[in-house]
């Protein structure tokens, strides 16, 4: 059963042969709403919307159901990250989803994404990987959206959290510019 719970935690669709085991776990109360929520958020991060939808249908608690609807909408439209009240109650598991939405928004509106990122960062401690992903998305978004000076200043201000590939990208720009 413990191995089954660990398999359940995997945020991707499991083979059909796992369904009887999962049914036993659910029927015996070993899959809590919190465990299902963690898997749901992982499915969203992996862009496995079918699994996320299936998991959301299983939430018996209306709070989880409402939150699942909000996060699913956020993944469809990252501009919803501006609805701070909707996403005010963050957990360690949901922060990467917020970061991913901000990163997606940065591709089309990096200035707005930068403002939202500042807001969420003030109230939450994001995992390092999420911070790196957002910083890279913001810098690249600003740069490609015609704001290279702001992009490079933002990178300089966040150099300690910049991922290696972003620093390599910056170095290539500097070399190209002589």
């Amino acid at each position: 059963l413990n191995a089954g719970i660990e398999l359940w935690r995997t945020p991707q669709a499991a083979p059909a042969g796992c369904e009887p085991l999962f049914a036993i776990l659910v029927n015996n109360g070993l899959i809590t709403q919190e465990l299902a929520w963690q898997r749901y958020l992982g499915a969203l991060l992996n862009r496995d919307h079918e699994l996320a939808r299936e998991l959301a249908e299983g939430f018996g608690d209306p709070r989880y159901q409402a939150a699942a609807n909000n996060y699913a909408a956020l993944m469809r439209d990252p501009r919803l990250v501006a609805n701070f009240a909707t996403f005010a109650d963050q957990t360690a598991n949901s922060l990467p989803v917020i970061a991913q939405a901000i990163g997606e928004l940065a591709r089309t509106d990096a200035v707005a994404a930068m403002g939202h990122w500042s807001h969420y960062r003030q109230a939450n401690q994001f995992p390092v990987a999420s911070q790196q992903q957002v910083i890279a998305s913001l810098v690249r978004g600003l740069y490609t959206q015609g704001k290279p000076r702001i992009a490079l200043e933002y990178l300089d201000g966040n150099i300690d959290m910049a991922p290696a590939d972003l620093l390599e990208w910056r170095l290539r720009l500097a070399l190209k510019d002589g």
Side-chain angles (χ1 to χ4, degrees), residues 56 92 111 129:
V111 172

Side-chain angles (χ1 to χ4, degrees), residues 120-135:
Y120 283 105
R121 256 178 112 175
Q122 288 176 4
N124 301 286
Q125 181 60 40
F126 284 81
V128 171
S130 294
Q131 292 183 56
Q132 290 178 329
Q133 176 259 326
V134 171
I135 289 167

Side-chain angles (χ1 to χ4, degrees), residues 89-172:
D89 297 326
Q90 297 303 315
T91 65
N93 293 322
S94 61
L95 288 173
V97 178
I98 293 292
Q100 184 169 315
I102 292 171
E104 292 290 325
L105 179 61
R107 292 181 180 171
T108 57
D109 190 350
V111 172
M114 193 165 56
H116 301 327
W117 177 238
S118 176
H119 173 85
Y120 283 105
R121 256 178 112 175
Q122 288 176 4
N124 301 286
Q125 181 60 40
F126 284 81
V128 171
S130 294
Q131 292 183 56
Q132 290 178 329
Q133 176 259 326
V134 171
I135 289 167
S137 296
L138 288 171
V139 169
R140 288 188 172 115
L142 287 164
Y143 193 84
T144 59
Q145 293 163 30
K147 297 173 178 40
R149 186 182 56 76
I150 297 171
L152 299 179
E153 287 174 3
Y154 191 78
L155 175 57
D156 289 344
N158 292 282
I159 199 77
D160 58 324
M161 290 303 300
D165 65 324
L166 185 63
L167 297 176
E168 180 182 333
W169 171 82
R170 174 62 180 110
L171 181 59
R172 289 180 189 278

Side-chain angles (χ1 to χ4, degrees), residues 7-15 22 39 42-43 46 48 51 55:
L7 182 60
W8 168 268
R9 291 179 192 263
T10 305
Q12 51 196 326
F22 290 167
R39 189 172 187 215
N46 287 335
D48 189 341
L51 175 60
L55 291 167

Side-chain angles (χ1 to χ4, degrees), residues 12-77:
Q12 51 196 326
C18 295
E19 291 306 317
L21 172 61
F22 290 167
I24 291 169
L25 295 172
V26 170
N27 292 337
N28 288 305
L30 298 172
I31 300 299
T32 63
Q33 294 286 288
E34 180 58 31
L35 277 176
W37 179 246
Q38 290 172 13
R39 189 172 187 215
Y40 172 80
L41 292 172
L44 286 179
L45 286 172
N46 287 335
R47 291 171 169 53
D48 189 341
H49 300 290
E50 183 176 336
L51 175 60
R53 187 174 76 306
E54 290 173 13
L55 291 167
E57 290 171 358
F59 289 127
D61 186 329
R63 292 172 299 168
Y64 281 106
Q65 188 64 53
N69 291 337
N70 289 335
Y71 280 99
L74 178 64
M75 291 295 96
R76 286 190 304 274
D77 184 1

